Amino acid sequence: MERVRADVRVTAPVTAELVAHALREAVKFLLFVRQQIPASYDELRAALLQTVGPEAMGLPSAREATGTLASLGSSPVGAKRKRVTSVERAAVKLFREMDAALGCLTPEMLRAFEPSRVALFLGSTPARPKEMFVFSLADVNARGGYARHDREESPETTRALGNAGRRVVRECLPAVSQCAPASAVGKAFVMVRARGEAQDGSTAACPVGFLPKRDLERGGLEGKNTKVRVDLTVTPRPKGGDESGARGALEGGERDGSDGSSEIWYQCGTAVKGLKSLRGVVGV
């Protein structure tokens, strides 16, 4: 098995909103660059808005979003929409699966469950992944958790989110470029590793949109089917200080199911079934 390690830095203050956005952008990037989808998320979204409209995609229509007939791909009242093709239906299904999976990576989930890892598994099942891309959040948790988020949206906060998304993609790219060629198109599973028990010993509630996968702890995850594993440590962007101490203390305890902790893997209830081609929907 090929294993690659790298750091992914996020700018302080590290809020749950910032990390959730960065993780969603990373998942979009990985699905595309590992050839599970034939176009980027943004390209697919833009193309579908023009061909099938937002309602078919599960998005608010222009009328609902703005109260006017703005140009989000919706047709004027009484206009006939062309017949949706089988390729377009497959593209819509793919988009809705991605949106559902990405929608489970929320700031509320990060704050409530403080997962030590968020991962994307590629393969036929999460128990036998061919590729694993694992984001460690243990460093963030060890530094006191997430900073408070300014509830008032501002251009600065919007810019910070955009910068965080672009940064995580840039810092994932060198690690991913070292990997072997991508696996065949299959399924993608968004996973989180978090507490399986509450402090009083009772079973903890599942993160919204996720299901517990206790069977993944038996014998660990890495097997003969796993060809690629990329471990990405999410850490606050240093400001001239030493960032090695906390991370060094954490790496030794990250063994799947072997450290006796109460953490378990949770699987997003929606898997993304990849597609080789969307010819006729986007320019691929």
Side-chain angles (χ1 to χ4, degrees):
M1 181 188 68
E2 183 177 6
R3 188 160 187 170
V4 179
R5 297 180 185 272
D7 289 338
V8 174
R9 297 169 297 168
V10 289
T11 304
V14 182
T15 66
E17 285 74 12
L18 186 145
V19 174
H21 178 79
L23 290 171
R24 289 192 293 265
E25 292 301 303
V27 170
K28 295 175 188 177
F29 163 75
L30 290 169
L31 287 172
F32 177 50
V33 79
R34 298 309 290 173
Q35 300 178 23
Q36 299 304 302
I37 56 176
S40 72
Y41 174 92
D42 291 335
E43 289 173 331
L44 178 60
R45 185 179 189 276
L48 288 175
L49 284 171
Q50 293 297 320
T51 56
V52 303
E55 296 91 342
M57 300 163 64
L59 300 174
S61 66
R63 185 191 297 274
E64 294 169 335
T66 67
T68 63
L69 290 175
S71 56
L72 268 179
S74 60
S75 299
V77 176
K80 291 183 178 180
R81 184 180 297 280
K82 71 180 184 67
R83 185 176 180 180
V84 177
T85 67
S86 59
V87 177
E88 288 170 343
R89 283 194 294 271
V92 169
K93 182 175 182 291
L94 173 63
F95 177 84
R96 296 189 74 152
E97 287 174 350
M98 284 195 290
D99 240 24
L102 293 167
C104 292
L105 295 177
T106 64
E108 293 76 18
M109 183 274 290
L110 294 179
R111 281 193 293 264
F113 291 88
E114 294 186 341
S116 63
R117 277 168 276 179
V118 172
L120 180 68
F121 292 176
L122 303 179
S124 57
T125 74
R128 295 188 298 275
K130 291 183 178 179
E131 301 186 15
M132 301 169 60
F133 300 89
V134 184
F135 292 85
S136 172
L137 303 178
D139 197 358
V140 175
N141 295 336
R143 296 177 187 237
Y146 299 98
R148 294 184 63 180
H149 175 63
D150 185 0
R151 293 295 177 181
E152 292 190 10
E153 296 298 329
S154 65
E156 289 74 18
T157 57
T158 301
R159 192 179 307 114
L161 290 178
N163 290 340
R166 288 186 289 272
R167 173 180 287 277
V168 73
V169 168
R170 285 199 305 269
E171 296 194 349
C172 286
L173 185 57
V176 176
S177 66
Q178 298 178 46
C179 298
S183 304
V185 174
K187 290 184 178 180
F189 306 91
V190 174
M191 313 287 293
V192 300
R193 185 169 170 84
R195 296 187 302 274
E197 295 179 347
Q199 290 185 352
D200 60 3
S202 62
T203 302
C206 292
V208 175
F210 289 87
L211 298 172
K213 301 293 289 186
R214 295 181 183 274
D215 55 322
L216 296 187
E217 303 304 307
R218 298 168 189 165
L221 285 168
E222 297 169 7
K224 62 181 180 180
N225 293 309
T226 306
K227 305 302 181 185
V228 170
R229 172 161 176 166
V230 178
D231 291 292
L232 299 153
T233 300
V234 180
T235 185
R237 186 179 182 184
K239 295 182 178 180
D242 181 12
E243 61 177 338
S244 61
R247 182 185 170 199
L250 291 165
E251 284 183 340
E254 295 204 18
R255 300 290 185 271
D256 296 314
S258 64
D259 58 357
S261 73
S262 61
E263 288 190 343
I264 63 171
W265 283 103
Y266 293 89
Q267 175 189 332
C268 178
T270 301
V272 179
K273 187 176 181 180
L275 287 176
K276 289 184 179 180
S277 175
L278 291 173
R279 192 174 301 278
V281 178
V282 292
V284 293

Short mmCIF file of all heavy atoms in Angstrom, two decimals, residues 68-126:
data_model
loop_
_atom_site.label_atom_id
_atom_site.label_comp_id
_atom_site.label_asym_id
_atom_site.label_seq_id
_atom_site.Cartn_x
_atom_site.Cartn_y
_atom_site.Cartn_z
N THR A 68 -37.87 36.90 -7.28
CA THR A 68 -37.99 37.37 -8.66
C THR A 68 -37.56 36.25 -9.58
O THR A 68 -36.99 35.24 -9.16
CB THR A 68 -37.09 38.59 -8.92
OG1 THR A 68 -35.73 38.20 -8.74
CG2 THR A 68 -37.43 39.72 -7.98
N LEU A 69 -37.79 36.43 -10.87
CA LEU A 69 -37.35 35.46 -11.87
C LEU A 69 -35.93 35.80 -12.31
O LEU A 69 -35.68 36.19 -13.43
CB LEU A 69 -38.31 35.45 -13.06
CG LEU A 69 -39.70 34.87 -12.77
CD1 LEU A 69 -40.60 35.02 -13.98
CD2 LEU A 69 -39.58 33.40 -12.40
N ALA A 70 -35.00 35.64 -11.36
CA ALA A 70 -33.59 35.89 -11.70
C ALA A 70 -33.06 34.73 -12.52
O ALA A 70 -33.69 33.68 -12.64
CB ALA A 70 -32.78 36.06 -10.41
N SER A 71 -31.87 34.91 -13.04
CA SER A 71 -31.34 33.91 -13.97
C SER A 71 -30.52 32.86 -13.25
O SER A 71 -29.30 32.90 -13.23
CB SER A 71 -30.47 34.60 -15.02
OG SER A 71 -29.44 35.32 -14.38
N LEU A 72 -31.21 31.87 -12.66
CA LEU A 72 -30.52 30.72 -12.08
C LEU A 72 -30.86 29.47 -12.88
O LEU A 72 -30.83 28.37 -12.37
CB LEU A 72 -30.93 30.52 -10.62
CG LEU A 72 -30.07 31.21 -9.58
CD1 LEU A 72 -30.61 30.95 -8.19
CD2 LEU A 72 -28.62 30.78 -9.68
N GLY A 73 -31.25 29.66 -14.10
CA GLY A 73 -31.58 28.51 -14.92
C GLY A 73 -33.06 28.20 -14.94
O GLY A 73 -33.48 27.24 -15.57
N SER A 74 -33.90 28.96 -14.21
CA SER A 74 -35.33 28.71 -14.23
C SER A 74 -35.95 29.32 -15.47
O SER A 74 -35.48 30.33 -15.99
CB SER A 74 -35.98 29.29 -12.98
OG SER A 74 -35.77 30.67 -12.92
N SER A 75 -37.02 28.68 -15.93
CA SER A 75 -37.67 29.16 -17.15
C SER A 75 -38.82 30.08 -16.81
O SER A 75 -39.44 29.94 -15.75
CB SER A 75 -38.19 27.95 -17.95
OG SER A 75 -37.14 27.10 -18.32
N PRO A 76 -39.19 31.01 -17.67
CA PRO A 76 -40.35 31.86 -17.45
C PRO A 76 -41.61 31.02 -17.35
O PRO A 76 -41.69 29.92 -17.88
CB PRO A 76 -40.37 32.76 -18.69
CG PRO A 76 -38.98 32.70 -19.23
CD PRO A 76 -38.46 31.35 -18.89
N VAL A 77 -42.62 31.55 -16.67
CA VAL A 77 -43.88 30.85 -16.51
C VAL A 77 -44.47 30.56 -17.88
O VAL A 77 -44.55 31.43 -18.74
CB VAL A 77 -44.87 31.68 -15.66
CG1 VAL A 77 -46.22 30.99 -15.58
CG2 VAL A 77 -44.30 31.89 -14.27
N GLY A 78 -44.89 29.32 -18.08
CA GLY A 78 -45.50 28.93 -19.34
C GLY A 78 -44.52 28.44 -20.38
O GLY A 78 -44.92 27.88 -21.40
N ALA A 79 -43.23 28.62 -20.15
CA ALA A 79 -42.24 28.16 -21.13
C ALA A 79 -42.10 26.65 -21.04
O ALA A 79 -42.19 26.06 -19.97
CB ALA A 79 -40.90 28.83 -20.89
N LYS A 80 -41.86 26.00 -22.17
CA LYS A 80 -41.68 24.56 -22.21
C LYS A 80 -40.21 24.22 -22.01
O LYS A 80 -39.34 24.77 -22.67
CB LYS A 80 -42.18 24.00 -23.54
CG LYS A 80 -43.68 24.09 -23.72
CD LYS A 80 -44.09 23.43 -25.04
CE LYS A 80 -45.60 23.47 -25.21
NZ LYS A 80 -46.02 22.84 -26.50
N ARG A 81 -39.97 23.30 -21.10
CA ARG A 81 -38.59 22.84 -20.89
C ARG A 81 -38.36 21.61 -21.75
O ARG A 81 -39.24 20.75 -21.88
CB ARG A 81 -38.36 22.51 -19.42
CG ARG A 81 -36.91 22.12 -19.13
CD ARG A 81 -36.71 21.79 -17.66
NE ARG A 81 -36.97 22.93 -16.82
CZ ARG A 81 -36.11 23.91 -16.61
NH1 ARG A 81 -34.95 23.90 -17.24
NH2 ARG A 81 -36.42 24.91 -15.83
N LYS A 82 -37.20 21.51 -22.35
CA LYS A 82 -36.91 20.37 -23.19
C LYS A 82 -36.90 19.10 -22.36
O LYS A 82 -36.69 19.11 -21.15
CB LYS A 82 -35.56 20.55 -23.88
CG LYS A 82 -34.36 20.44 -22.97
CD LYS A 82 -33.08 20.63 -23.73
CE LYS A 82 -31.85 20.45 -22.85
NZ LYS A 82 -31.69 19.07 -22.40
N ARG A 83 -37.10 17.99 -23.01
CA ARG A 83 -37.16 16.70 -22.34
C ARG A 83 -35.80 16.37 -21.73
O ARG A 83 -34.76 16.51 -22.39
CB ARG A 83 -37.56 15.62 -23.33
CG ARG A 83 -37.76 14.25 -22.69
CD ARG A 83 -38.26 13.26 -23.73
NE ARG A 83 -38.44 11.95 -23.14
CZ ARG A 83 -38.87 10.88 -23.81
NH1 ARG A 83 -39.16 11.01 -25.12
NH2 ARG A 83 -39.02 9.72 -23.22
N VAL A 84 -35.82 15.91 -20.50
CA VAL A 84 -34.58 15.57 -19.81
C VAL A 84 -34.07 14.23 -20.32
O VAL A 84 -34.82 13.25 -20.38
CB VAL A 84 -34.80 15.51 -18.29
CG1 VAL A 84 -33.53 15.08 -17.58
CG2 VAL A 84 -35.25 16.87 -17.77
N THR A 85 -32.81 14.18 -20.69
CA THR A 85 -32.23 12.95 -21.22
C THR A 85 -31.77 12.04 -20.10
O THR A 85 -31.67 12.45 -18.94
CB THR A 85 -31.04 13.27 -22.13
OG1 THR A 85 -29.99 13.83 -21.31
CG2 THR A 85 -31.42 14.28 -23.21
N SER A 86 -31.44 10.79 -20.45
CA SER A 86 -30.96 9.83 -19.46
C SER A 86 -29.61 10.28 -18.88
O SER A 86 -29.34 10.07 -17.69
CB SER A 86 -30.83 8.44 -20.09
OG SER A 86 -29.92 8.47 -21.19
N VAL A 87 -28.78 10.91 -19.71
CA VAL A 87 -27.50 11.40 -19.22
C VAL A 87 -27.71 12.53 -18.22
O VAL A 87 -27.03 12.60 -17.19
CB VAL A 87 -26.61 11.87 -20.39
CG1 VAL A 87 -25.30 12.46 -19.87
CG2 VAL A 87 -26.31 10.72 -21.33
N GLU A 88 -28.66 13.40 -18.50
CA GLU A 88 -28.96 14.49 -17.57
C GLU A 88 -29.52 13.95 -16.26
O GLU A 88 -29.20 14.46 -15.19
CB GLU A 88 -29.93 15.47 -18.22
CG GLU A 88 -29.29 16.31 -19.32
CD GLU A 88 -30.31 17.09 -20.12
OE1 GLU A 88 -31.52 16.76 -20.06
OE2 GLU A 88 -29.90 18.05 -20.81
N ARG A 89 -30.37 12.92 -16.35
CA ARG A 89 -30.89 12.31 -15.11
C ARG A 89 -29.76 11.72 -14.28
O ARG A 89 -29.75 11.85 -13.05
CB ARG A 89 -31.93 11.24 -15.45
CG ARG A 89 -33.29 11.79 -15.85
CD ARG A 89 -34.35 10.72 -15.83
NE ARG A 89 -34.11 9.71 -16.85
CZ ARG A 89 -34.58 9.78 -18.10
NH1 ARG A 89 -35.30 10.83 -18.47
NH2 ARG A 89 -34.34 8.82 -18.96
N ALA A 90 -28.81 11.07 -14.94
CA ALA A 90 -27.66 10.52 -14.21
C ALA A 90 -26.83 11.63 -13.58
O ALA A 90 -26.34 11.49 -12.45
CB ALA A 90 -26.80 9.68 -15.16
N ALA A 91 -26.68 12.74 -14.30
CA ALA A 91 -25.92 13.87 -13.77
C ALA A 91 -26.62 14.49 -12.56
O ALA A 91 -25.97 14.85 -11.58
CB ALA A 91 -25.72 14.92 -14.86
N VAL A 92 -27.95 14.60 -12.63
CA VAL A 92 -28.71 15.14 -11.50
C VAL A 92 -28.56 14.23 -10.30
O VAL A 92 -28.37 14.69 -9.16
CB VAL A 92 -30.19 15.32 -11.88
CG1 VAL A 92 -31.03 15.61 -10.65
CG2 VAL A 92 -30.34 16.46 -12.89
N LYS A 93 -28.66 12.93 -10.52
CA LYS A 93 -28.51 11.98 -9.41
C LYS A 93 -27.14 12.12 -8.76
O LYS A 93 -27.01 12.15 -7.54
CB LYS A 93 -28.70 10.55 -9.92
CG LYS A 93 -28.62 9.47 -8.84
CD LYS A 93 -28.94 8.10 -9.44
CE LYS A 93 -28.89 7.03 -8.36
NZ LYS A 93 -27.52 6.79 -7.86
N LEU A 94 -26.10 12.23 -9.60
CA LEU A 94 -24.74 12.41 -9.07
C LEU A 94 -24.64 13.69 -8.27
O LEU A 94 -24.09 13.70 -7.15
CB LEU A 94 -23.75 12.44 -10.24
CG LEU A 94 -22.30 12.80 -9.89
CD1 LEU A 94 -21.70 11.76 -8.96
CD2 LEU A 94 -21.47 12.92 -11.16
N PHE A 95 -25.18 14.79 -8.81
CA PHE A 95 -25.10 16.07 -8.10
C PHE A 95 -25.83 16.00 -6.77
O PHE A 95 -25.32 16.48 -5.75
CB PHE A 95 -25.69 17.18 -8.97
CG PHE A 95 -25.71 18.52 -8.28
CD1 PHE A 95 -24.59 19.33 -8.30
CD2 PHE A 95 -26.83 18.95 -7.58
CE1 PHE A 95 -24.58 20.56 -7.64
CE2 PHE A 95 -26.83 20.17 -6.93
CZ PHE A 95 -25.71 20.98 -6.96
N ARG A 96 -27.01 15.41 -6.74
CA ARG A 96 -27.78 15.36 -5.50
C ARG A 96 -27.10 14.47 -4.46
O ARG A 96 -27.16 14.76 -3.27
CB ARG A 96 -29.20 14.88 -5.79
CG ARG A 96 -29.97 15.85 -6.68
CD ARG A 96 -31.44 15.52 -6.79
NE ARG A 96 -32.15 15.86 -5.56
CZ ARG A 96 -33.43 16.20 -5.52
NH1 ARG A 96 -34.15 16.25 -6.63
NH2 ARG A 96 -34.01 16.49 -4.38
N GLU A 97 -26.45 13.41 -4.90
CA GLU A 97 -25.69 12.57 -3.96
C GLU A 97 -24.52 13.36 -3.37
O GLU A 97 -24.28 13.30 -2.15
CB GLU A 97 -25.19 11.31 -4.67
CG GLU A 97 -26.27 10.29 -4.97
CD GLU A 97 -25.78 9.13 -5.79
OE1 GLU A 97 -24.63 9.18 -6.30
OE2 GLU A 97 -26.53 8.15 -5.94
N MET A 98 -23.80 14.08 -4.21
CA MET A 98 -22.68 14.88 -3.70
C MET A 98 -23.18 15.95 -2.74
O MET A 98 -22.59 16.16 -1.67
CB MET A 98 -21.92 15.53 -4.86
CG MET A 98 -21.04 14.59 -5.63
SD MET A 98 -19.85 15.46 -6.70
CE MET A 98 -20.95 16.13 -7.94
N ASP A 99 -24.26 16.63 -3.10
CA ASP A 99 -24.78 17.68 -2.24
C ASP A 99 -25.23 17.13 -0.89
O ASP A 99 -25.02 17.76 0.15
CB ASP A 99 -25.95 18.39 -2.93
CG ASP A 99 -25.68 19.87 -3.13
OD1 ASP A 99 -24.50 20.25 -3.18
OD2 ASP A 99 -26.65 20.64 -3.23
N ALA A 100 -25.86 15.94 -0.89
CA ALA A 100 -26.32 15.34 0.36
C ALA A 100 -25.13 14.96 1.24
O ALA A 100 -25.14 15.19 2.46
CB ALA A 100 -27.18 14.12 0.07
N ALA A 101 -24.10 14.38 0.64
CA ALA A 101 -22.92 13.98 1.42
C ALA A 101 -22.18 15.20 1.96
O ALA A 101 -21.79 15.24 3.13
CB ALA A 101 -21.99 13.12 0.55
N LEU A 102 -21.99 16.21 1.12
CA LEU A 102 -21.30 17.43 1.55
C LEU A 102 -22.10 18.15 2.63
O LEU A 102 -21.53 18.75 3.55
CB LEU A 102 -21.08 18.35 0.36
CG LEU A 102 -20.10 17.86 -0.70
CD1 LEU A 102 -20.21 18.71 -1.96
CD2 LEU A 102 -18.67 17.85 -0.18
N GLY A 103 -23.43 18.07 2.52
CA GLY A 103 -24.28 18.75 3.49
C GLY A 103 -24.20 18.17 4.89
O GLY A 103 -24.65 18.81 5.85
N CYS A 104 -23.63 16.98 5.03
CA CYS A 104 -23.47 16.38 6.36
C CYS A 104 -22.22 16.89 7.09
O CYS A 104 -22.09 16.68 8.29
CB CYS A 104 -23.41 14.86 6.24
SG CYS A 104 -24.97 14.10 5.73
N LEU A 105 -21.31 17.52 6.34
CA LEU A 105 -20.11 18.08 6.96
C LEU A 105 -20.42 19.51 7.41
O LEU A 105 -20.11 20.48 6.73
CB LEU A 105 -18.94 18.06 5.97
CG LEU A 105 -18.47 16.67 5.53
CD1 LEU A 105 -17.37 16.78 4.49
CD2 LEU A 105 -17.99 15.86 6.73
N THR A 106 -21.04 19.62 8.56
CA THR A 106 -21.54 20.90 9.04
C THR A 106 -20.72 21.41 10.21
O THR A 106 -20.11 20.62 10.95
CB THR A 106 -23.00 20.78 9.48
OG1 THR A 106 -23.07 19.88 10.61
CG2 THR A 106 -23.87 20.24 8.35
N PRO A 107 -20.72 22.72 10.43
CA PRO A 107 -20.08 23.27 11.63
C PRO A 107 -20.69 22.72 12.91
O PRO A 107 -19.98 22.47 13.88
CB PRO A 107 -20.31 24.78 11.51
CG PRO A 107 -20.59 25.01 10.07
CD PRO A 107 -21.25 23.78 9.55
N GLU A 108 -22.01 22.50 12.90
CA GLU A 108 -22.69 21.98 14.09
C GLU A 108 -22.18 20.59 14.44
O GLU A 108 -21.97 20.27 15.62
CB GLU A 108 -24.20 21.93 13.85
CG GLU A 108 -24.86 23.30 13.71
CD GLU A 108 -24.61 23.97 12.37
OE1 GLU A 108 -24.22 23.26 11.40
OE2 GLU A 108 -24.79 25.21 12.28
N MET A 109 -21.95 19.75 13.42
CA MET A 109 -21.41 18.42 13.68
C MET A 109 -20.00 18.49 14.25
O MET A 109 -19.66 17.77 15.20
CB MET A 109 -21.43 17.60 12.39
CG MET A 109 -20.96 16.15 12.54
SD MET A 109 -19.16 15.94 12.39
CE MET A 109 -18.92 16.29 10.64
N LEU A 110 -19.18 19.36 13.70
CA LEU A 110 -17.80 19.48 14.19
C LEU A 110 -17.77 19.93 15.65
O LEU A 110 -17.00 19.42 16.46
CB LEU A 110 -17.01 20.45 13.32
CG LEU A 110 -16.76 20.02 11.87
CD1 LEU A 110 -15.98 21.11 11.13
CD2 LEU A 110 -16.00 18.70 11.80
N ARG A 111 -18.61 20.91 15.98
CA ARG A 111 -18.62 21.42 17.36
C ARG A 111 -19.17 20.38 18.34
O ARG A 111 -18.64 20.22 19.44
CB ARG A 111 -19.43 22.71 17.44
CG ARG A 111 -18.70 23.94 16.96
CD ARG A 111 -19.43 25.22 17.35
NE ARG A 111 -20.70 25.33 16.63
CZ ARG A 111 -20.86 26.03 15.51
NH1 ARG A 111 -19.85 26.67 14.98
NH2 ARG A 111 -22.04 26.09 14.92
N ALA A 112 -20.25 19.70 17.96
CA ALA A 112 -20.93 18.79 18.89
C ALA A 112 -20.15 17.51 19.12
O ALA A 112 -20.09 17.00 20.24
CB ALA A 112 -22.33 18.47 18.37
N PHE A 113 -19.52 16.97 18.08
CA PHE A 113 -18.89 15.64 18.19
C PHE A 113 -17.37 15.69 18.19
O PHE A 113 -16.73 14.69 18.52
CB PHE A 113 -19.40 14.74 17.06
CG PHE A 113 -20.84 14.36 17.21
CD1 PHE A 113 -21.84 15.16 16.68
CD2 PHE A 113 -21.21 13.23 17.91
CE1 PHE A 113 -23.18 14.83 16.82
CE2 PHE A 113 -22.54 12.88 18.07
CZ PHE A 113 -23.53 13.69 17.53
N GLU A 114 -16.80 16.82 17.79
CA GLU A 114 -15.34 16.97 17.75
C GLU A 114 -14.66 15.73 17.16
O GLU A 114 -13.84 15.08 17.81
CB GLU A 114 -14.79 17.26 19.15
CG GLU A 114 -15.24 18.60 19.71
CD GLU A 114 -14.56 18.94 21.03
OE1 GLU A 114 -14.03 18.00 21.67
OE2 GLU A 114 -14.55 20.11 21.40
N PRO A 115 -15.00 15.35 15.94
CA PRO A 115 -14.38 14.16 15.35
C PRO A 115 -12.87 14.32 15.24
O PRO A 115 -12.37 15.41 14.94
CB PRO A 115 -15.03 14.08 13.96
CG PRO A 115 -15.49 15.47 13.67
CD PRO A 115 -15.89 16.06 14.99
N SER A 116 -12.16 13.24 15.50
CA SER A 116 -10.71 13.29 15.38
C SER A 116 -10.28 13.16 13.92
O SER A 116 -9.19 13.59 13.56
CB SER A 116 -10.07 12.17 16.20
OG SER A 116 -10.47 10.90 15.71
N ARG A 117 -11.14 12.57 13.10
CA ARG A 117 -10.82 12.41 11.68
C ARG A 117 -12.08 12.52 10.83
O ARG A 117 -13.16 12.09 11.24
CB ARG A 117 -10.15 11.05 11.43
CG ARG A 117 -8.66 11.04 11.71
CD ARG A 117 -8.12 9.63 11.74
NE ARG A 117 -8.31 9.02 13.06
CZ ARG A 117 -7.93 7.79 13.36
NH1 ARG A 117 -7.37 7.03 12.45
NH2 ARG A 117 -8.11 7.31 14.57
N VAL A 118 -11.89 13.11 9.67
CA VAL A 118 -12.91 13.13 8.62
C VAL A 118 -12.24 12.54 7.39
O VAL A 118 -11.10 12.87 7.09
CB VAL A 118 -13.42 14.55 8.34
CG1 VAL A 118 -14.34 14.57 7.12
CG2 VAL A 118 -14.14 15.12 9.55
N ALA A 119 -12.93 11.63 6.70
CA ALA A 119 -12.26 10.89 5.64
C ALA A 119 -13.17 10.72 4.43
O ALA A 119 -14.39 10.76 4.52
CB ALA A 119 -11.80 9.52 6.14
N LEU A 120 -12.52 10.49 3.30
CA LEU A 120 -13.19 10.08 2.07
C LEU A 120 -12.63 8.73 1.68
O LEU A 120 -11.42 8.59 1.46
CB LEU A 120 -12.95 11.10 0.95
CG LEU A 120 -13.61 10.77 -0.39
CD1 LEU A 120 -15.13 10.88 -0.29
CD2 LEU A 120 -13.09 11.69 -1.49
N PHE A 121 -13.49 7.70 1.64
CA PHE A 121 -13.10 6.36 1.23
C PHE A 121 -13.62 6.13 -0.18
O PHE A 121 -14.79 6.41 -0.47
CB PHE A 121 -13.69 5.29 2.15
CG PHE A 121 -13.15 5.28 3.55
CD1 PHE A 121 -13.67 4.40 4.50
CD2 PHE A 121 -12.13 6.13 3.95
CE1 PHE A 121 -13.19 4.38 5.79
CE2 PHE A 121 -11.64 6.13 5.24
CZ PHE A 121 -12.17 5.23 6.17
N LEU A 122 -12.79 5.57 -1.03
CA LEU A 122 -13.19 5.22 -2.39
C LEU A 122 -13.08 3.71 -2.55
O LEU A 122 -12.04 3.12 -2.25
CB LEU A 122 -12.30 5.92 -3.42
CG LEU A 122 -12.22 7.44 -3.34
CD1 LEU A 122 -11.28 7.98 -4.41
CD2 LEU A 122 -13.59 8.08 -3.47
N GLY A 123 -14.15 3.09 -3.02
CA GLY A 123 -14.16 1.64 -3.20
C GLY A 123 -15.56 1.11 -3.30
O GLY A 123 -16.53 1.87 -3.41
N SER A 124 -15.70 -0.20 -3.23
CA SER A 124 -17.03 -0.79 -3.34
C SER A 124 -17.81 -0.67 -2.04
O SER A 124 -19.03 -0.49 -2.05
CB SER A 124 -16.92 -2.27 -3.73
OG SER A 124 -16.10 -2.98 -2.78
N THR A 125 -17.11 -0.76 -0.91
CA THR A 125 -17.73 -0.58 0.40
C THR A 125 -16.74 0.14 1.31
O THR A 125 -15.52 0.09 1.07
CB THR A 125 -18.10 -1.93 1.07
OG1 THR A 125 -16.89 -2.58 1.52
CG2 THR A 125 -18.83 -2.85 0.10
N PRO A 126 -17.21 0.79 2.38
CA PRO A 126 -16.27 1.46 3.28
C PRO A 126 -15.39 0.46 4.04
O PRO A 126 -14.33 0.84 4.55
CB PRO A 126 -17.18 2.23 4.23
CG PRO A 126 -18.51 1.56 4.15
CD PRO A 126 -18.62 1.03 2.75
#
